[in-house]
């Protein structure tokens, strides 16, 4: 493949990546979104975090099997409750790491 094709390919990939990010900003910056949509958009980070964490906490090995007695899940529950009560990211990370360390020693 000639070098010009690579350059065209990189440019096209950049364009395909940039346009979906730019278009909503361009069309929505001057408009007021409905409150219901803003509330819905606020839920996206929590949904993404849940989608990333839950399979790692609930499923084990291949073939995937659900296990409720995994140390990661046993540690995640009190850590989550601590985070809900304190709403402090730093102390939640410290408590989660400490509980995970304790679980590794005793489970």
């Amino acid at each position: 493949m000639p070098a010009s094709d690579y350059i065209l390919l990189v440019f096209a990939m950049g364009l395909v990546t940039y346009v979906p990010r730019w278009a909503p900003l361009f069309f929505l910056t001057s408009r007021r979104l409905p409150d219901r949509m803003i509330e819905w958009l606020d839920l996206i980070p929590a949904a993404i975090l849940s989608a990333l964490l839950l399979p790692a906490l609930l499923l084990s090995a291949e073939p995937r099997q659900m296990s409720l007695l995994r140390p990661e899940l046993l540690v995640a529950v009190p850590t989550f409750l601590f985070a809900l009560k304190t709403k402090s990211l730093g102390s939640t990370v410290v408590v989660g790491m400490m509980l995970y360390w304790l679980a590794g020693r005793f489970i």
Side-chain angles (χ1 to χ4, degrees), residues 7-104:
I7 292 171
L8 182 63
L9 182 64
V10 168
F11 179 75
M13 288 188 305
L15 192 64
V16 166
T17 303
Y18 180 76
V19 168
R21 290 175 172 86
W22 169 82
L25 290 175
F26 180 77
F27 290 113
L28 297 176
T29 49
S30 61
R31 295 183 182 176
R32 169 99 175 116
L33 293 175
D35 290 338
R36 186 123 173 116
M37 181 163 222
I38 292 172
E39 291 174 9
W40 180 77
L41 289 172
D42 284 343
L43 297 175
I44 290 176
I48 292 172
L49 185 62
S50 299
L52 292 173
L53 287 179
L54 279 181
L57 292 175
L58 294 175
L59 303 175
S60 62
E62 290 291 334
R64 297 279 183 184
Q65 294 178 346
M66 189 169 170
S67 173
L68 296 178
L69 296 176
R70 296 188 56 178
E72 293 87 356
L73 182 61
L74 296 175
V75 168
V77 171
T79 303
F80 179 71
L81 294 174
F82 180 82
L84 281 178
K85 183 169 177 76
T86 64
K87 300 193 185 317
S88 168
L89 178 63
S91 59
T92 300
V93 169
V94 170
V95 166
M97 291 173 64
M98 186 179 67
L99 289 175
Y100 190 74
W101 177 76
L102 286 172

